[in-house]
Amino acid sequence: MKLVSIMAKVDKDKCIGCKTCEKLCPVLAIQIEDKKAIIDEDACRGCANCADRCPVYAITMVKREEPFTVKVDVKQFPKEAIDEICRKAHVNPEQVLCYCVGTRAEEVAAALLSGAKTPEEVSSMTGMRTGCTIECIQPMLRMVEAAGNKLQPIEGGHQWYGKTITAWELSDEVKDKYKSKGFFFDEDKELLDQIVNLKLEEGQNEK
Amino acid sequence: MKNNLLKSPIMPISAKESQYGVDPSHIKKRVAEMPDMVSVSLKDLFPDLPDVIYPGAEDSLEMLYETAKEEIRKIDMGKIKSGDSVNVLASHHGFTLYGGEPYAILLRAIRDIVEEKTGTKNIRLRAGVGMRFRETEEYIRRYKLDEYYNGKAKGMAPIDPGIPIETEIGTLYGLKAAYDADWIIHAHHTDVREVHFHRQIDKAVKPFGMSYARIETRSTYHQNLGPRAANFIARAIFESNFVQEKFAFAAFLDVGPHGVIGVDADADLYALNDRATFIGCQLYGKVMHLFGKIDECIAVLDFPCPVPYVFSAGVIYANFAGANVDLYDMEKPLPPYTWYTEAFYKKNGKPMLDSIPPLNPSIKMCVHNYAWTGYPSAFFSEMIPTVVVGAEQAELFDMEPMNMTYMNHATIAKSTDAAMEFAYNVTGTDKVIIFDGAMGGLNCSKSLAEFLIEVAPIVSKEVEEDLLPKWLKQRGVDISVLEDIQK
Ligand code: SF4
Ligand code: SF4
């Protein structure tokens, strides 16, 4: 869930049509037409990536006159279906995946069950990955794939490139080679598994 | 009580113009200026801290430049040919240390000596960031590094175009701008900063998995391997053939909690890392352990950087918020604050596991007099009663994508005086610690200063005799390195 209270605005006089913003918008809200950036205001989720990378400072973030909330209701799906996607992605349904927005895994699973097939669609529906846009990309990709979707980066874009290694895939060879250097590979995997497998009582964890 | 150790407060650096903070004109008062505030010198608390070059005499920054050149000159640069391109890789945090100028001096010295020794003029500065994509662009302007690097200086953000790097653990991604040269020079420092994340494991290597890396890599670090395995990501990238073929050497600003000690340059990054581990564990470890002894206090944020990064005696607020646990002890899997910990809080605000420690219960209230946005900080205001000074700061947080909910839990006071009065009345403590980056010492209330002076000798003994040997053993670092450093 995210309260979308700000949005990006382009100063067309400054814009040089370089496409930088288009290539990094996590919800694909920007298109270049006649060498000028056009932002779909309804689609923008207010991450400020475009404003912060525009080489000529043509974009500013402004307050929305009518803020709105994006949210997927987790309760519309059976708990088992939500759990299945989360556990497959090695996360607990209640685990926070996006530290900026506070999106929990269960809402991402619900977005995927509602028909989202890409990270961009999940971001648009839940607001996940519209804060820093950095730290939650891996669990996002794990979740999208766990729901049975093929990961396909945006052609020519830099939104994301691909999934990387997890604790569950590290080879024994690498672990043995480096564990004396202070890396606690197996112990950390055990901790993560403990979280993943923790059964939380329904209804008891709401505020 | 050694009252002669209580000194007048050290005035912190002024508020800075930045897109991440309010206009400096809104910062009307610093908490260090308030009655009953004093400072304590770190050398007085821990007399065995090494001497520093800066802060020091009037010409100390010139001395630092000369020291840096001398150390860098010792590096064999035979493989860099005249006409080769060289990227000097820097990171944002260096510019927040001791006013920022010392790190800028290191970057200037590297450029000058590489040109002097190799003849190449194609030397570029590439400065990476954390989550504030424009931060190093601001520093490059502030320290005129663009001019110094003849127009070849630029900031890099983790969402900028990347390149795949094949490593021992599969494909990871670096920033294209970091590696678009024949050679790279790793320009960093020994400040510990985020001990909750890196746990002083391979700290000197960390930027390869962070400020020089793309989002995919950084997310791997923070989400995929676990709190004590994560740093391996940086090592995997650094050891890749791709990086090894480009790596020329590393040059570090050696800093401690009390000032700039010197410059350390080495073509062997792991040798440098061992020395940095000693500084991190021994020097910063003492302050961290000392802060862990504080039983109750009001924590004041008063420095131009994001909430978790404001610092006192080299310890950042995020680490003080975890000082109830020994962050250097690798047997402790989850610090009270780290992103893995934050992720493991349930919807009812309680941790998922009983073993997850709470944020430092000795912080009775946080007075946010001056701190920036640019880092997701809502967890702090949610867990620690927080009062923010001025509606302008509150408004700035409300407008920032990473902090949309920071003010959901914090309250606003109209002035610094009102905020402090509120904090004193509500908490009942007169102990105040100020995270304002004071150089050479720390600013705090008289009552807290007296407490710190009393316990510092005990802390020093505990670290030297019990904790340091344990910390180093857990990191596979040989204590003989310490003797080498002392020589
Ligand atoms: S979602 Fe982010 S990158 Fe996309 S238009 Fe909005 S602010 Fe810009
Ligand atoms: S990044 Fe800036 S200049 Fe480039 S297309 Fe977007 S708005 Fe225009």
Side-chain angles (χ1 to χ4, degrees):
Chain A
M1 182 180 82
K2 178 179 180 175
L3 173 68
V4 185
S5 56
I6 56 174
M7 65 180 188
K9 265 240 172 308
V10 185
D11 179 340
K12 294 239 172 72
D13 294 336
K14 285 188 185 163
C15 174
I16 53 169
C18 71
K19 299 187 179 173
T20 300
C21 53
E22 184 188 30
K23 291 177 182 169
L24 45 69
C25 174
V27 292
L28 312 181
I30 309 177
Q31 281 191 325
I32 310 296
E33 284 171 24
D34 298 330
K35 297 198 173 149
K36 298 286 171 195
I38 311 284
I39 296 181
D40 177 346
E41 291 185 359
D42 293 338
C44 170
R45 292 290 175 265
C47 73
N49 264 4
C50 53
D52 279 346
R53 295 324 284 153
C54 172
V56 293
Y57 297 80
I59 302 180
T60 43
M61 300 307 295
V62 298
K63 244 187 183 167
R64 280 181 183 269
E65 274 170 26
E66 289 178 30
F68 59 90
T69 298
V70 287
K71 178 186 174 174
V72 182
D73 182 11
V74 178
K75 295 215 167 72
Q76 63 181 309
F77 298 104
K79 194 175 172 300
E80 298 69 38
I82 299 274
D83 277 14
E84 197 190 325
I85 297 176
C86 293
R87 313 259 183 229
K88 214 165 152 194
H90 294 295
V91 293
N92 187 292
E94 275 208 40
Q95 188 176 329
V96 173
L97 300 186
C98 171
Y99 309 119
C100 298
V101 177
T103 321
R104 293 180 190 270
E106 59 180 11
E107 191 186 356
V108 178
L112 291 159
L113 289 168
S114 300
K117 298 208 170 321
T118 64
E120 293 69 38
E121 285 166 1
V122 173
S123 291
S124 179
M125 290 165 79
T126 65
M128 177 178 178
R129 207 189 154 224
T130 65
C132 71
T133 73
I134 308 168
E135 308 302 349
C136 59
I137 187 63
Q138 289 304 333
M140 166 76 96
L141 297 177
R142 274 150 61 187
M143 290 289 289
V144 171
E145 197 176 57
N149 302 294
K150 191 168 178 296
L151 297 174
Q152 193 68 55
I154 310 293
E155 217 187 309
H158 303 296
Q159 282 84 355
W160 55 273
Y161 299 142
K163 221 161 63 99
T164 55
I165 188 110
T166 67
W168 296 271
E169 294 141 3
L170 272 177
S171 72
D172 287 341
E173 198 191 332
V174 166
K175 289 194 261 190
D176 289 344
K177 191 167 159 194
Y178 295 103
K179 66 183 175 199
S180 68
K181 298 289 178 191
F183 303 109
F184 285 59
F185 298 115
D186 287 330
E187 296 82 350
D188 273 10
K189 179 180 167 289
E190 210 174 290
L191 172 77
L192 297 177
D193 274 331
Q194 211 184 337
I195 294 287
V196 175
N197 297 323
L198 199 70
K199 294 264 182 283
L200 300 171
E201 291 305 311
E202 209 173 354
Q204 288 186 3
N205 302 311
E206 304 289 346
K207 264 190 192 164
Chain B
M1 173 56 51
K2 298 176 200 163
N3 268 331
N4 56 339
L5 298 187
L6 301 182
K7 304 200 168 110
S8 326
I10 302 161
M11 272 309 116
I13 61 165
S14 58
K16 297 275 181 254
E17 218 160 289
S18 166
Q19 75 171 70
Y20 303 104
V22 287
D23 188 281
S25 65
H26 293 303
I27 307 305
K28 306 249 188 285
K29 191 170 199 170
R30 309 303 290 273
V31 176
E33 298 171 59
M34 296 186 74
D36 203 37
M37 297 304 162
V38 296
S39 75
V40 199
S41 145
L42 285 166
K43 267 280 212 187
D44 285 342
L45 289 176
F46 301 114
D48 52 354
L49 282 171
D51 291 339
V52 297
I53 300 177
Y54 185 80
E58 230 170 66
D59 63 348
S60 56
L61 287 173
E62 282 99 83
M63 266 175 58
L64 176 64
Y65 175 62
E66 293 307 320
T67 306
K69 286 197 298 184
E70 202 180 305
E71 290 305 314
I72 297 163
R73 218 176 255 128
K74 289 179 193 160
I75 298 286
D76 177 1
M77 298 182 198
K79 54 189 178 183
I80 305 176
K81 305 289 175 233
S82 145
D84 281 0
S85 52
V86 178
N87 278 359
V88 178
L89 304 182
S91 307
H92 55 303
H93 178 45
F95 296 101
T96 69
L97 301 170
Y98 303 105
E101 189 60 28
Y103 188 59
I105 285 173
L106 174 73
L107 300 175
R108 291 184 199 119
I110 295 172
R111 207 214 77 84
D112 291 345
I113 299 303
V114 171
E115 183 175 340
E116 175 191 299
K117 287 193 72 166
T118 71
T120 187
K121 291 201 182 309
N122 195 1
I123 307 165
R124 305 91 154 259
L125 177 65
R126 301 283 195 249
V129 295
M131 305 169 111
R132 296 158 300 289
F133 296 174
R134 298 277 196 204
E135 187 176 358
T136 44
E137 292 175 13
E138 291 184 354
Y139 296 136
I140 286 169
R141 283 196 294 272
R142 190 184 300 163
Y143 299 105
K144 299 194 171 32
L145 289 165
D146 197 27
E147 288 162 41
Y148 210 89
Y149 275 76
N150 300 319
K152 294 177 178 168
K154 73 172 178 185
M156 313 181 283
I159 191 74
D160 287 351
I163 39 153
I165 299 176
E166 297 315 319
T167 76
E168 231 173 328
I169 51 171
T171 308
L172 292 167
Y173 299 87
L175 290 174
K176 203 169 168 193
Y179 297 105
D180 65 357
D182 299 316
W183 302 103
I184 54 169
I185 294 166
H186 174 38
H188 207 57
H189 52 78
T190 58
D191 185 76
V192 293
R193 186 121 132 167
E194 300 169 307
V195 184
H196 56 289
F197 282 146
H198 61 72
R199 310 293 291 271
Q200 201 64 51
I201 302 286
D202 271 6
K203 168 65 178 45
V205 190
K206 190 181 167 197
F208 287 90
M210 210 44 61
S211 43
Y212 314 155
R214 269 273 306 183
I215 56 164
E216 294 80 3
T217 301
R218 295 171 58 148
S219 180
T220 311
Y221 181 108
H222 286 299
Q223 301 259 16
N224 280 12
L225 295 189
R228 294 167 300 170
N231 270 332
F232 184 66
I233 294 300
R235 185 179 275 245
I237 291 194
F238 178 67
E239 292 197 357
S240 68
N241 290 338
F242 175 76
V243 173
Q244 284 300 308
E245 279 167 13
K246 288 182 183 288
F247 181 71
F249 65 93
F252 275 44
L253 195 66
D254 269 356
V255 297
H258 57 317
V260 181
I261 305 163
V263 168
D264 191 350
D266 206 317
D268 179 350
L269 184 56
Y270 291 118
L272 206 160
N273 184 59
D274 279 352
R275 297 191 289 273
T277 303
F278 271 99
I279 293 177
C281 291
Q282 192 186 35
L283 309 189
Y284 287 88
K286 281 188 187 176
V287 184
M288 207 80 81
H289 190 50
L290 176 69
F291 283 7
K293 301 268 183 197
I294 297 172
D295 56 347
E296 56 167 33
C297 70
I298 295 160
V300 172
L301 319 183
D302 209 0
F303 188 83
C305 73
V307 168
Y309 295 140
V310 298
F311 59 98
S312 169
V315 173
I316 60 171
Y317 178 58
N319 284 166
F320 185 53
N324 46 322
V325 167
D326 176 0
L327 299 180
Y328 291 92
D329 183 359
M330 300 307 289
E331 296 300 323
K332 308 257 168 36
L334 285 168
Y337 170 70
T338 188
W339 278 335
Y340 285 103
T341 313
E342 184 177 344
F344 302 155
Y345 269 71
K346 294 182 282 192
K347 285 183 280 185
N348 65 3
K350 302 267 183 323
M352 288 185 185
L353 304 173
D354 292 339
S355 58
I356 293 177
L359 281 194
N360 190 351
S362 79
I363 308 174
K364 302 299 175 201
M365 189 171 277
C366 169
V367 172
H368 174 148
N369 189 51
Y370 175 43
W372 287 358
T373 59
Y375 184 101
S377 307
F379 187 66
F380 295 98
S381 61
E382 198 174 337
M383 296 290 157
I384 295 169
T386 300
V387 50
V388 173
V389 177
E392 297 84 5
Q393 289 201 90
E395 168 94 349
L396 187 75
F397 276 75
D398 278 345
M399 282 285 289
E400 208 253 356
M402 289 175 244
N403 282 293
M404 293 296 201
T405 59
Y406 183 76
M407 288 310 301
N408 285 7
H409 310 283
T411 184
I412 305 173
K414 281 192 177 160
S415 67
T416 304
D417 289 307
M420 290 304 290
E421 195 183 301
F422 176 63
Y424 285 131
N425 288 344
V426 171
T427 64
T429 182
D430 63 354
K431 290 196 188 118
V432 179
I433 178 165
I434 312 177
F435 290 80
D436 62 1
M439 292 187 223
L442 69 99
N443 288 328
C444 59
S445 63
K446 187 164 168 275
S447 52
L448 184 64
E450 284 166 348
F451 173 81
L452 296 175
I453 291 164
E454 197 180 309
V455 297
I458 306 165
V459 162
S460 193
K461 197 164 174 285
E462 284 174 357
V463 170
E464 292 292 345
E465 291 176 7
D466 306 327
L467 298 172
L468 189 62
K470 177 171 86 177
W471 293 338
L472 294 176
K473 192 162 169 239
Q474 288 176 340
R475 284 156 184 80
V477 177
D478 189 335
I479 201 129
S480 66
V481 177
L482 183 59
E483 285 141 29
D484 286 350
I485 296 172
Q486 279 164 347
K487 271 183 231 155

